[in-house]
Amino acid sequence: MTTFPDTRIINLSSLYGEKQNGSLHSIIDFEFPSLVDHQKDVAYVEVGCVSAEIPVSFYTINEYNDTIRFLIGATTYNITLLRGNYNANTLITEIVSKMKTALGGSSDITLALNRINGKLEWTNTGGLDDFSLVKSGTTLWYVLGLDDDTATYTANAGGKITPPYPLNLLGTNNVSIRTDNLATYNYNSKQNGFSNTLANISVDASPFGILLYKNTSITYNILRVLDVNRFRIELLDDNSNPIDFNNGNWSITLALNIHRHRPTINTRTFSDMLDLKEPDKEDKKEVTKIEEPKKEDLPPRPKTLKDLDILTNLRFNN
């Protein structure tokens, strides 16, 4: 049985939806009654992200990577950086400032960027006890180029901490558009299974610019559900965290291809419905053919008398 697509365009805006995480604008619910119904003529349904306009209003240093925990001797200190976009110089200035404040206005810890290898070097100039960076409680660990498998880095008086990896200020590289309600058969290596990501958009615009996405490959995904009245759109970063758009608004256009069974056209005639069958040619021959009777089947023909026979056969009485 053949099918045909019944296409629906869905225009979404963060301005018009139920915001689930306030001004972050990255988790929003939308309601469309009877958007997809499990009707008898529905074979399957596809969904795809046609286009998106997303502001780059999120920061390099955000709520997920803005803390550092360090030790001076046996004393623990925690600092929180101002959230925003940084380069190496501004980040060094911010970290040193917050450390001085935590230590009462003075600090013998200096930071410098190695221009050759891009690593951020921490030097204990000797006026303090041992200085240690502690992974537990530090969300900036990956950004600083420190190893996930190392719990603590320590610099004795006059010593230095050199991370194994360069300073990473790339920030969010991809924006994932995900919806659990419009469940698909896509895959993600992080989940090691099905992923309900509709599109992965590369961040190729500068801060405070805008991402313009077009589905040039016209990729659509088959839905695992056939009843949808309400769905949630989530915009996530590389680590599947909701992005903070700082009250910035986005627009997304989705398309639904509802593939329906094409109805069959009834070609039966009125005679077919009455089960009247037109006789074929052989039947017609049998109906129209008149068989001549066989000679032996004919009754005997009465004997005819000649004109003079009647005279000879007559008896006269004298």
Side-chain angles (χ1 to χ4, degrees), residues 102-134:
L103 293 171
S106 64
S107 173
D108 288 332
I109 305 299
T110 63
L111 280 75
L113 181 70
N114 187 315
R115 301 291 177 179
I116 297 175
N117 57 27
K119 296 178 181 180
L120 186 63
E121 298 175 343
W122 306 66
T123 302
N124 183 352
T125 58
L128 298 172
D129 295 332
D130 292 348
F131 166 74
S132 300
L133 292 171
V134 182

Side-chain angles (χ1 to χ4, degrees), residues 279-312:
D280 57 22
K281 292 182 180 180
E282 294 298 327
D283 294 335
K284 289 182 180 180
K285 288 181 180 180
E286 293 178 1
V287 171
T288 58
K289 182 179 179 182
I290 301 177
E291 295 185 358
E292 296 181 0
K294 296 180 181 180
K295 189 172 183 180
E296 58 270 19
D297 295 335
L298 294 175
R301 181 179 293 180
K303 186 177 181 182
T304 58
L305 299 176
K306 295 181 180 180
D307 294 341
L308 295 179
D309 287 343
I310 191 172
L311 295 177
T312 58

Side-chain angles (χ1 to χ4, degrees), residues 68-88:
I68 299 175
R69 176 173 293 175
F70 63 95
L71 300 175
I72 301 295
T75 306
T76 301
Y77 298 88
N78 296 288
I79 62 173
T80 300
L81 307 184
L82 178 67
R83 297 170 187 173
N85 296 314
Y86 290 87
N87 58 31

Side-chain angles (χ1 to χ4, degrees), residues 225-243:
V225 293
L226 290 178
D227 290 289
V228 179
N229 297 301
R230 182 184 180 90
F231 60 88
R232 173 173 294 180
I233 292 292
E234 300 178 346
L235 274 65
L236 310 178
D237 64 13
D238 306 295
N239 297 312
S240 299
N241 296 315
I243 295 174

